Amino acid sequence: QSALTQPASVSGSPGQSITISCTGTRTDVGGYNYVSWYQQHPGKAPKLIIHDVTIRPSGVSNRFSGSKSGNTASLTISGLQAEDEADYYCTSYTTSIYVIFGGGTKLTVL
Amino acid sequence: QVQLQESGPGLVKPSQTLSLTCSVSGGSISSGDSYWSWIRQPPGKGLEFIGYISYSGNTYYKPSFKSRLSISADTSKNHFSLKLTSVTAADTAVYYCVRAVDGGWFDPWGQGTLVTVSS
């Protein structure tokens, strides 16, 4: 099973909003409301920022939001800040191999 | 607050067995609805799920690892372990231990440990 498809890179200026897409199939993203997103700074472990498509864990900034339409999930970061520069990964539950990851997106804050 | 910490050799020779342990504090690995997982990340690459052992002792291994992988738990020590046999350079990665919950989301993560496969 191939990885979920994410753009390799996105960029934005401070204060702007950006959206990262995560495209799968009806057997993963489209079939379940079990998409999660992780933020990873260089040399650090990933950090959960969204689970179950839209739910933000306690302590995560409300500038991060998630959504899903069909086989594509999206992470939106509003009011972009320098500290948001990181790699972002999506995952989805799938019955075939439990979970599948996206390839990751590098966010650059200009 | 649950915390996880990986430990094990940082260097393994090709064809040998990679062994790592994850010590869990702040919660019991026998607690309901937790799936104690391993995820790896080759240098400069993305994340890959390896497998888990559940709170009840059931295991799941990603099919591509199934023939070489074993995940076990020691409830008396509150830790779980990974053994990956017949390693090659392709198994060089940062290995993370992580708690998963129903729905397949992962939190919290250990800090990760780099394992290099080289002679």
Side-chain angles (χ1 to χ4, degrees):
Chain A
Q1 186 163 358
S2 300
L4 302 177
T5 300
Q6 297 181 234
S9 63
V10 298
S11 62
S13 299
Q16 288 186 330
S17 293
I18 63 95
T19 297
I20 299 172
S21 61
C22 171
T23 301
T25 69
R26 60 182 174 82
T27 63
D28 38 66
V29 175
Y32 307 93
N33 287 324
Y34 290 141
V35 174
S36 55
W37 290 90
Y38 302 84
Q39 176 192 61
Q40 185 179 33
H41 288 108
K44 300 294 187 181
K47 172 190 172 186
L48 177 71
I49 54 174
I50 295 285
H51 67 86
D52 296 349
V53 179
T54 63
I55 299 175
R56 203 171 45 247
S58 174
V60 173
S61 171
N62 60 9
R63 298 184 298 104
F64 294 91
S65 63
S67 63
K68 191 186 84 166
S69 177
N71 295 337
T72 298
S74 298
L75 172 71
T76 297
I77 308 174
S78 59
L80 210 55
Q81 299 179 0
E83 68 205 46
D84 299 332
E85 186 162 293
D87 293 329
Y88 292 84
Y89 293 91
C90 64
T91 74
S92 174
Y93 174 82
T94 171
T95 51
S96 59
I97 56 170
Y98 181 58
V99 292
I100 184 170
F101 277 92
T105 298
K106 181 176 180 61
L107 169 62
T108 300
V109 180
L110 302 170
Chain B
Q1 182 177 347
V2 174
Q3 293 184 312
L4 296 87
Q5 176 70 57
E6 305 89 351
S7 60
L11 181 64
V12 181
K13 288 182 166 49
S15 79
Q16 294 193 342
T17 297
L18 183 162
S19 298
L20 295 173
T21 295
C22 181
S23 299
V24 179
S25 59
S28 170
I29 64 171
S30 301
S31 65
D33 300 332
S34 292
Y35 300 83
W36 303 98
S37 304
W38 291 96
I39 291 170
R40 74 180 187 180
Q41 185 172 35
K45 296 189 178 180
L47 300 163
E48 180 179 28
F49 172 76
I50 298 171
Y52 68 68
I53 184 164
S54 75
Y55 60 98
S56 60
N58 296 322
T59 55
Y60 175 82
Y61 304 149
K62 186 179 178 184
S64 56
F65 291 102
K66 208 165 187 177
S67 63
R68 311 192 283 137
L69 180 63
S70 173
I71 299 176
S72 60
D74 185 333
T75 55
S76 67
K77 296 181 179 177
N78 212 41
H79 73 207
F80 63 104
S81 301
L82 170 149
K83 289 189 189 300
L84 187 66
T85 64
S86 305
V87 297
T88 69
D91 294 309
T92 293
V94 175
Y95 286 76
Y96 295 100
C97 60
V98 202
R99 183 184 66 179
V101 297
D102 282 340
W105 48 272
F106 300 100
D107 183 67
W109 295 61
Q111 66 182 29
T113 188
L114 174 63
V115 179
T116 301
V117 178
S118 175
S119 55

